Amino acid sequence: MASVQVTEGELDFSIPKITKPCKTWYKLFGSLSPTTVPLIALHGGPGMSHNYLLSLSSLASDYSIPVILYDQFGCGNSTHLPEKNGDTDFWTVELFLSELDNLLEKLGIGEYDLFGNSWGGMLAAEHAIRQPSKLRRLIIADSPASMSDWIVAAEGLRKQLPTDVQSVLDRCERDERTETEEYEKAVMEFYKRHVCRVWPFPGDVDDTFESLKRDPTVYHTMNGPSEFYVVGSLKTWDIKSKLHRIKVSTMLLNGRHDEATDAVVQLYFDAIPRVRWFTFAESSHMPHWEERELFMERVAAFLRD
């Protein structure tokens, strides 16, 4: 494993009707040059922070692929707006697409590859549908193309949990007690099976969950209180009818135990013209931790093909 240059910075991000200065924080592993094609990584959530994707730095150290991670607006090290909690007119897909465009422009990036995990894959697909001229390759990891299909899959997995865990989840959701420790512990039983099967969670994964606890504004507004209880503005999100517009070479990734089940991923596979798909046999929603070495091999091979 070679050592790599690591650079952190902040980019101004101008948002209409927001008067206070807004920033997007980013971290670059490797260096940018006219001859390199960086991989830009979009984290999940929305609002989950970059930390759990830090394993992607292996692509820079082991394969000399520059990697850019950033905290999407409203979470992590970027500007927070807790006063916008519940404001579905503010927290939109378009806001985060604009932030990505701003990052590309401010960093002076030419040709680039794009990776997205979970919500990040949804955002990456939305970006690719617009056919940006400098996007070279796309990786959609552990993501739905339709939240209604995601919810159906999640309900099926939820029914496989122990009955006492299901009872706690049902009761807390019915009584609107989803911020209790009881609910959190029950949710974790789902997460250990279908979000990350490395237990205890890697420190970087824990850091993301801790960041979410400190400010759940974006996640609660757009998603809801958990991965499988979706009551936010993304509940009706669906891009199945637009997927044929993605013209770049695309790789789909998921795990055998993933909350992004095969039925969910199949929607992408059936619609994108130039696509391949790999499922990690021992992974769930974070194969970049659960089968880290194989994950990096597969991703690097695709980007270099």
Side-chain angles (χ1 to χ4, degrees):
M1 179 182 293
S3 61
V4 296
Q5 178 181 338
V6 180
T7 306
E8 294 184 25
E10 291 182 327
L11 304 170
D12 293 331
F13 181 37
S14 178
I15 304 173
K17 299 182 180 180
I18 299 297
T19 56
K20 81 175 190 179
C22 295
K23 306 282 187 180
T24 298
W25 175 93
Y26 72 93
K27 191 168 192 173
L28 166 65
F29 295 90
S31 57
L32 302 177
S33 76
T35 60
T36 60
V37 179
L39 177 68
I40 300 171
L42 308 180
H43 64 70
M48 281 289 192
S49 84
H50 78 284
N51 308 75
Y52 80 100
L53 291 183
L54 281 167
S55 60
L56 297 181
S57 62
S58 294
L59 293 169
S61 59
D62 295 351
Y63 298 96
S64 300
I65 299 170
V67 176
I68 299 172
L69 304 179
Y70 71 97
D71 281 330
Q72 295 163 27
F73 189 66
C75 75
N77 298 314
S78 294
T79 302
H80 289 238
L81 289 178
E83 63 271 26
K84 290 290 187 180
N85 185 40
D87 188 344
T88 56
D89 290 332
F90 179 79
W91 300 110
T92 63
V93 172
E94 291 299 329
L95 173 68
F96 294 104
L97 289 173
S98 296
E99 183 181 31
L100 174 55
D101 289 342
N102 182 70
L103 179 138
L104 293 168
E105 179 185 353
K106 294 286 175 60
L107 291 181
I109 293 173
E111 193 175 35
Y112 61 96
D113 297 323
L114 192 60
F115 168 93
N117 168 264
S118 196
W119 148 255
M122 296 157 61
L123 187 62
E126 287 269 20
H127 180 77
I129 282 168
R130 288 154 174 79
Q131 300 180 355
S133 61
K134 295 179 182 178
L135 175 62
R136 190 186 69 143
R137 299 203 175 196
L138 175 67
I139 301 173
I140 300 173
D142 320 278
S143 305
S146 161
M147 286 304 290
S148 61
D149 292 288
W150 172 273
I151 292 167
V152 169
E155 287 175 349
L157 295 175
R158 178 169 167 160
K159 290 177 181 177
Q160 298 173 21
L161 294 171
T163 54
D164 59 327
V165 174
Q166 292 185 54
S167 295
V168 171
L169 294 173
D170 292 341
R171 185 176 68 254
C172 288
E173 290 167 0
R174 183 182 63 246
D175 298 341
E176 298 184 354
R177 298 178 61 249
T178 56
E179 295 183 6
T180 63
E181 183 177 351
E182 182 184 30
Y183 185 74
E184 182 180 332
K185 287 182 178 179
V187 165
M188 194 55 63
E189 292 304 312
F190 181 95
Y191 287 9
K192 287 190 291 186
R193 290 166 171 79
H194 304 297
V195 175
C196 183
R197 294 171 73 86
V198 177
W199 186 258
F201 286 162
D204 292 329
V205 176
D206 276 334
D207 288 344
T208 284
F209 282 118
E210 287 303 314
S211 176
L212 177 64
K213 285 183 184 178
R214 288 192 294 271
D215 186 0
T217 297
V218 185
Y219 188 71
H220 283 181
T221 302
M222 297 184 72
N223 185 82
S226 73
E227 292 291 278
F228 50 80
Y229 187 43
V230 181
V231 293
S233 59
L234 284 178
K235 186 174 183 178
T236 58
W237 179 86
D238 189 311
I239 54 167
K240 288 183 289 188
S241 65
K242 303 176 183 178
L243 292 176
H244 65 281
R245 300 181 193 170
I246 297 177
K247 301 303 182 183
V248 297
S249 181
T250 301
M251 172 178 266
L252 307 174
L253 301 173
N254 74 328
R256 186 166 66 90
H257 307 283
D258 207 326
E259 55 183 338
T261 63
D262 287 353
V264 167
V265 178
Q266 187 75 43
L267 301 171
Y268 282 111
F269 188 73
D270 290 342
I272 298 175
R274 299 167 57 198
V275 66
R276 65 188 75 174
W277 179 4
F278 184 80
T279 298
F280 294 89
E282 304 300 325
S283 294
S284 59
H285 203 52
M286 297 187 187
H288 53 280
W289 284 109
E290 296 158 303
E291 295 179 74
R292 181 171 178 171
E293 184 175 349
L294 178 59
F295 181 92
M296 303 306 162
E297 288 176 3
R298 290 286 178 171
V299 168
F302 170 68
L303 295 178
R304 291 176 164 179
D305 188 6

